[in-house]
Amino acid sequence: MAVPDTGIRVEPGSFRDPANRVFHAGDEVLRGLGPDGARDWRALSGSAFFAELLAEGKICGTEPVDATRLPGWTAVLRHERIPFVSHPYEWSFAMLRDAALLHLEILRRALSAGFTTKDGSAYNLQWRGASPVFIDVGSFAPLAEGEPWAGYRQFCQTLLYPLLLQAHLGLDFQPWLRARVDGIEPDQMRRLFRGARRLLPGVPTHVHLHGAMQGRNARASTTDVRAQLKAAGYSRDLALATVRGIDRLIRRLDRRDEGSHWVDYQRTCGYTVRDREEKERFVEAAVAAAPPGLVLDLGANDGRYARIAARHAAQVVAVEQDPAVVDSLYRALRAEGEHRILPLVMDLADPSPGGGWRGVERASFGDRARADVVLALAVAHHLAIGCNVPLPEVLDQLVAYARPGGRLVVEFVHPEDPMARRLLANKPDGLFPEYRRDEFERLLAARCRVERQRELPCGTRTLYQAVVGG
């Protein structure tokens, strides 16, 4: 259904369920419900289980508003705005597992109350810091006795299969999920889990049997499959038993520890105590100067500076390329009950592109990242030397992550610094003639208004605080 030009913007990732659609009106998130969706909402809003999940913060805040807000829709809901939208291929193993467990808990409680969820996608979940939250309120529908869970396939492809890849084979799942918005197909999994691997926990039932059933029912209609299950005695109790079984399986899965150079980076990077203290003071002063709504910490590692930023910011997104490092950070933040820091897995030399239908169903990182403060500490030299990105383009990208008038806090590692020398040692002589402090300062001044700078006690690293577009 179309909406007149009233400043209301359609959410590009919300079109697959014709019963409802999500819109943005300024800072508000609205959901339009058609006749079927409105009927399901009336039943859902009167249920005790839904009220309990809302009160527990496990479902995003939702309330009905005047239906005339979205002409052409039967009913309209307003949802809380999630501080920063992320995608499952930007999550660590423990994040994906916790998201899967929340999805199953919500489904279990829904089934017990006579409801189900029409979807099982990982994209139905987002984060408040280190806490997952279910956002697809339009997915709930009254349960028809004898019907299977319609979201099982999506759940396997976007949640269970990635977890099995990481836990059983030690393969990082992020590239697999990034490659296909619908997740990993059973046929792909069956090829990976042959021989003795066929017997690994969860594989016989949810990979091989699931794949065989899909093949057998490929030509059968959904109505036929439902009728067969109902005739076979499929019931709510069996559905609940299945959900509990998947829950037990996922709780037993854990990330295989393959080791990582970056996990121990803070100890091995060469900073002295004085360097660290000076750097922490500089960062805190930059963030505290004008308390920001959103801070991006690029190359966050163990979250030392993200935690400093979180003392003053409403939300910090801590980006790190190593999945093992992000997993360690997430587990620590979860244990601390931190709700302001969201850790994400991302290679800044290859950030998340737009994906899905028309390339906009899932927004790129660049389109989502418009921060009040961007922390780029010990990042520029990795991009410029380690990844061969020209220094002007490195700064262009860092500046692009900040909103106009926002601050960039950037660290330049001099060519004579031990870390820079280590990177340069693996490159042909003379490949980076422009990687110099004076050239970096010239490029920075052309893009920003530099407010202050501080050379660290080591003498080979300099911090800059600059206003973007100033």
Side-chain angles (χ1 to χ4, degrees):
M1 298 181 190
V3 172
D5 186 10
T6 57
I8 294 176
R9 180 173 60 86
V10 178
E11 167 54 52
S14 172
F15 64 87
R16 293 181 182 250
D17 185 350
N20 66 100
R21 190 146 193 193
V22 174
F23 301 84
H24 300 275
D27 290 333
E28 291 184 301
V29 180
L30 303 177
R31 183 185 298 269
L33 302 173
D36 292 343
R39 183 191 63 239
D40 291 346
W41 163 250
R42 285 192 294 270
L44 180 68
S45 61
S47 66
F49 94 95
F50 182 72
E52 291 166 0
L53 288 168
L54 278 175
E56 294 166 14
K58 294 178 178 179
I59 293 180
C60 67
T62 301
E63 61 181 356
V65 295
D66 187 350
T68 61
R69 295 287 305 276
L70 296 176
W73 293 90
T74 306
V76 177
L77 306 178
R78 178 167 56 208
H79 298 304
E80 69 170 287
R81 177 170 287 279
I82 298 301
F84 189 88
V85 173
S86 60
H87 303 322
Y89 45 84
E90 298 165 350
W91 304 346
S92 74
F93 178 90
M95 293 175 74
L96 193 72
R97 184 177 61 185
D98 285 352
L101 291 173
L102 177 61
H103 208 308
L104 291 172
E105 178 189 352
I106 287 170
L107 175 60
R108 175 179 53 78
R109 292 168 70 170
L111 288 171
S112 298
F115 287 83
T116 187
T117 55
K118 294 180 286 186
D119 307 305
S121 173
Y123 292 94
N124 288 352
L125 296 118
Q126 284 298 325
W127 297 86
R128 299 189 195 98
S131 297
V133 56
F134 188 86
I135 62 169
D136 191 10
V137 172
S139 177
F140 289 102
L143 177 67
E145 191 65 34
E147 287 196 0
W149 178 33
Y152 173 68
R153 178 177 178 176
Q154 282 185 326
F155 185 89
C156 287
Q157 293 185 184
T158 63
L159 287 159
L160 180 57
Y161 290 170
L163 293 172
L164 292 176
L165 278 184
Q166 188 99 58
H168 291 331
L169 304 184
L171 296 175
D172 288 329
F173 64 80
Q174 290 84 4
W176 295 74
L177 283 184
R178 174 170 153 169
R180 284 179 55 87
V181 72
D182 292 327
I184 307 168
E185 296 282 349
D187 281 349
Q188 293 177 298
M189 292 290 288
R190 293 170 78 181
R191 294 188 185 100
L192 292 168
F193 287 90
R194 291 174 171 168
R197 291 177 177 175
R198 291 176 60 94
L199 303 179
L200 289 169
V203 174
T205 299
H206 302 292
V207 175
H208 289 286
L209 181 59
H210 180 203
M213 291 293 290
Q214 269 196 188
R216 192 178 77 180
N217 294 319
R219 296 186 179 182
S221 69
T222 302
T223 302
D224 290 340
V225 173
R226 287 173 176 170
Q228 291 170 17
L229 286 168
K230 192 169 185 178
Y234 190 84
S235 64
R236 186 194 319 189
D237 289 341
L238 284 175
L240 281 166
T242 300
V243 171
R244 292 188 184 104
I246 299 173
D247 184 282
R248 287 193 297 272
L249 166 65
I250 289 176
R251 289 183 188 279
R252 293 199 302 269
L253 300 176
D254 206 350
R255 177 186 171 85
R256 183 184 293 184
D257 186 9
E258 302 290 344
S260 167
H261 162 72
W262 299 105
V263 166
D264 206 25
Y265 178 73
Q266 288 292 353
R267 187 178 64 81
T268 61
C269 66
Y271 283 112
T272 66
V273 172
R274 288 184 61 210
D275 286 339
R276 262 203 199 95
E277 290 175 346
E278 191 64 42
K279 189 171 176 179
E280 288 175 4
R281 282 194 292 269
F282 192 94
V283 169
E284 178 130 36
V287 179
L294 174 64
V295 173
L296 286 183
D297 183 6
L298 305 177
N301 199 260
D302 66 358
R304 176 186 297 267
Y305 302 102
R307 285 182 170 90
I308 291 173
R311 297 171 190 166
H312 307 278
Q315 177 77 7
V316 180
V317 176
V319 176
E320 171 59 48
Q321 75 172 57
D322 192 313
V325 175
V326 176
D327 209 53
S328 295
L329 175 57
Y330 169 72
R331 292 173 194 245
L333 295 171
R334 180 183 61 188
E336 296 163 15
E338 177 58 69
H339 297 294
R340 290 162 298 172
I341 302 175
L342 172 65
L344 295 180
V345 178
M346 196 178 311
D347 181 355
L348 292 171
D350 183 20
S352 299
W357 175 245
R358 300 177 67 187
V360 297
E361 185 179 356
R362 306 300 170 198
S364 71
F365 181 69
D367 286 341
R368 288 173 280 144
R370 288 293 181 269
D372 300 295
V373 175
V374 175
L375 304 180
L377 307 170
V379 165
H381 65 299
H382 285 291
L383 294 172
I385 303 174
C387 301
N388 287 28
V389 180
L391 198 54
E393 294 194 29
V394 171
L395 280 169
D396 284 343
Q397 185 60 80
L398 297 180
V399 166
Y401 287 138
R403 63 167 180 77
R407 281 190 168 84
L408 172 64
V409 179
V410 60
E411 178 177 7
F412 183 72
V413 177
H414 305 184
E416 59 271 21
D417 183 88
M419 184 59 72
R421 281 169 29 203
R422 189 184 309 171
L423 290 171
L424 288 166
N426 296 319
K427 304 289 183 176
D429 290 341
L431 186 61
F432 301 99
E434 295 184 352
Y435 188 81
R436 308 185 312 271
R437 178 177 174 179
D438 63 330
E439 178 64 5
F440 179 86
E441 291 181 348
R442 185 187 72 79
L443 293 169
L444 182 63
R447 292 158 174 78
C448 308
R449 174 171 56 84
V450 178
E451 295 181 302
R452 62 190 183 107
Q453 65 185 69
R454 177 77 169 93
E455 187 173 296
L456 294 180
C458 64
T460 60
R461 296 183 177 223
T462 305
L463 300 169
Y464 302 85
Q465 175 185 312
V467 177
V468 172

